Amino acid sequence: MPEGSPLSAGHTAGVSLYPQERLYQEMAFLAYYLHWSGDALMELDHWERRRWCREVSAINKKLSGTDQRTIEFR
């Protein structure tokens, strides 16, 4: 990353950024099950988006009796 970039190590002051791949997985999961637009999903903060993913996953687990159609959080 170029020096002076807003995402360079010196500018993030030790704050870790959320992995882009994970963001897209969560957004695709919610868009698929809740039919929300990309814009609506981008307006959610990190914790709210993860909360919705957990709620949808819990419903899917209960209905299917398995861990299929869930998004795992580590």
Side-chain angles (χ1 to χ4, degrees):
M1 200 164 304
E3 188 174 47
S5 167
L7 298 179
S8 66
H11 284 258
T12 59
V15 174
S16 63
L17 301 175
Y18 200 63
Q20 185 177 21
E21 183 68 24
R22 186 64 179 179
L23 173 66
Y24 280 106
Q25 289 172 349
E26 291 173 3
M27 289 179 59
F29 182 79
L30 293 174
Y32 179 81
Y33 284 104
L34 301 178
H35 307 284
W36 291 354
S37 70
D39 290 338
L41 292 166
M42 287 301 289
E43 289 178 11
L44 298 174
D45 65 30
H46 169 74
W47 301 110
E48 187 176 10
R49 189 180 57 254
R50 287 181 59 108
R51 173 66 190 261
W52 279 106
C53 286
R54 282 193 303 272
E55 294 299 326
V56 171
S57 291
I59 291 168
N60 283 330
K61 283 180 184 181
K62 185 176 182 179
L63 292 176
S64 68
T66 68
D67 289 341
Q68 293 179 341
R69 297 191 203 113
T70 64
I71 196 164
E72 296 300 324
F73 296 97
R74 298 176 196 176

